[in-house]
Amino acid sequence: FAGAIHDVQDEYKDVKFIALDVSQFDIEDSFYNHDASGNRTTLIDENNTPHVGDNVVSIVFQEEEAGYLAGYAAVMEGETNLGFLGGMAVPAVQRFGYGYVQGIAEAAVKKEVDVNLWYVYGGQFFGDATIKASMEKWVEEGCKTIFACGGAIYASATEAMEGKEGCKLIGVDSDQSKVVKNVPVLTSAMKGLTDATFTCLDEFYSEWKNGGKVLTYGLKTNTSKEYVGLPRDTWSMKNFTLTDYDAVIKDIRDGKITVNSDTTRDVKTLVDNTRITAKNTNFGDSIK
């Protein structure tokens, strides 16, 4: 929606816009022309410099924390053959994946188990026959639980896992147990869109103090809200309990656990000196 924000923020200055999960980079990128590779060239209007309007507020999320919780919970539940299927290798998707690997690594040490991990990007935000074939290969090799992170790309994972014993999906962004029915959903790494919406509306009806800002919210932002997290009421986990979950959240909020958000590193380095074995030959690369 960044392009729409660019189009309306200056034209309708008396209207306030809540643009959840729209980054400052994306809004400012809408001010530029681009070449065939998507790189910025010139400003569309040389007199209109990139900006987030004073009538716009957006909240983006610390996806790495949600990914960490999903990976940690899965291993503590007893899953040791895990996969990550990202959409495009953009920062938000990468943060989910990098957090996922960190959570898996921490839980593997705590539980004293070895974990097999498959990791790849599909290069798009929807499934197709090529991605499905890749997921089928993972399942044949023993992958049981796939964190599908990138719009409708989860369809390729669920189609590959459907009917296969012990296979499960980890959803993303929202509680995907409500939409995925052909395979069990272990849990979902969620962004707290509801809490974020209420936060923005509370400000709208009181003091509009964050206009012109894109804010980053995570578990430490407000201890009374879960701006990222897992769905407490619908996960299918039996061994990893709500008490366990609350303890991990507390450790993150207290600083005992730090989830690194740096996606400039090669994801392969995250499995070095851990109990994780990278299984696929194109680990961390893109299928397309």
Side-chain angles (χ1 to χ4, degrees):
F1 296 111
I5 294 300
H6 163 268
D7 292 345
V8 301
Q9 64 179 3
D10 294 331
E11 184 175 357
Y12 300 98
K13 293 182 180 296
D14 59 335
V15 177
K16 292 182 170 62
F17 297 95
I18 295 171
L20 290 185
D21 212 17
V22 181
S23 74
Q24 183 163 341
F25 174 88
D26 288 333
I27 294 173
E28 294 183 349
D29 197 51
S30 299
F31 285 79
Y32 289 91
N33 295 303
H34 297 80
D35 62 22
S37 299
N39 300 311
R40 295 177 179 180
T41 54
T42 57
L43 284 170
I44 296 171
D45 179 353
E46 62 181 17
N47 296 314
N48 193 12
T49 56
H51 63 278
V52 179
D54 291 339
N55 54 338
V56 175
V57 64
S58 181
I59 292 174
V60 296
F61 301 89
Q62 291 182 265
E63 293 93 351
E64 70 278 3
E65 292 182 345
Y68 181 98
L69 291 169
Y72 183 92
V75 174
M76 297 305 290
E77 174 66 10
E79 304 297 327
T80 56
N81 292 286
L82 298 152
F84 177 82
L85 169 62
M88 297 179 70
V90 296
V93 174
Q94 291 174 301
R95 286 193 293 269
F96 269 123
Y98 281 42
Y100 183 61
V101 177
Q102 291 174 70
I104 290 170
E106 181 66 24
V109 170
K110 192 166 187 176
K111 200 171 173 62
E112 297 184 346
V113 295
D114 295 319
V115 175
N116 295 317
L117 179 65
W118 293 255
Y119 192 114
V120 79
Y121 299 99
Q124 59 194 39
F125 289 113
F126 56 91
D128 64 15
T130 301
I131 298 172
K132 178 185 175 184
S134 182
M135 296 301 99
E136 288 174 335
K137 186 172 188 295
W138 285 11
V139 173
E140 290 171 2
E141 293 171 347
C143 184
K144 294 292 186 183
T145 302
I146 298 176
F147 180 17
C149 178
I153 203 169
Y154 73 86
S156 287
T158 58
E159 288 169 6
M161 293 189 291
E162 187 171 7
K164 305 297 193 303
E165 184 178 357
C167 285
K168 307 174 187 70
L169 179 77
I170 295 176
V172 74
D173 286 341
S174 61
D175 181 3
Q176 289 197 296
S177 69
K178 297 178 179 179
V179 294
V180 175
K181 302 301 179 184
N182 56 335
V183 299
V185 176
L186 187 69
T187 189
S188 295
M190 302 194 308
K191 298 176 181 179
L193 297 171
T194 299
D195 278 342
T197 301
F198 276 109
T199 296
C200 290
L201 289 173
D202 285 345
E203 180 182 331
F204 173 78
Y205 283 107
S206 57
E207 180 187 358
W208 185 259
K209 60 181 181 298
N210 286 316
K213 297 179 183 177
V214 176
L215 309 170
T216 301
Y217 280 9
L219 289 172
K220 295 180 182 179
T221 305
N222 186 329
T223 57
S224 68
K225 296 184 179 182
E226 289 183 16
Y227 288 116
V228 297
L230 308 180
R232 292 174 173 271
D233 298 330
T234 61
W235 73 40
S236 62
M237 295 180 289
K238 305 298 182 185
N239 301 320
F240 185 73
T241 67
L242 286 173
T243 300
D244 298 329
Y245 178 60
D246 285 331
V248 180
I249 287 180
K250 186 177 187 302
D251 283 347
I252 293 174
R253 286 174 167 163
D254 290 347
K256 294 180 181 178
I257 295 173
T258 300
V259 189
N260 194 318
S261 64
D262 178 12
T263 58
T264 62
R265 302 165 295 166
D266 189 330
V267 69
K268 298 182 184 72
T269 64
L270 296 181
V271 302
D272 292 340
N273 303 312
T274 69
R275 300 191 68 147
I276 298 172
T277 298
K279 295 295 290 184
N280 54 308
T281 55
N282 58 341
F283 190 93
D285 296 330
S286 181
I287 297 172
K288 297 182 177 182

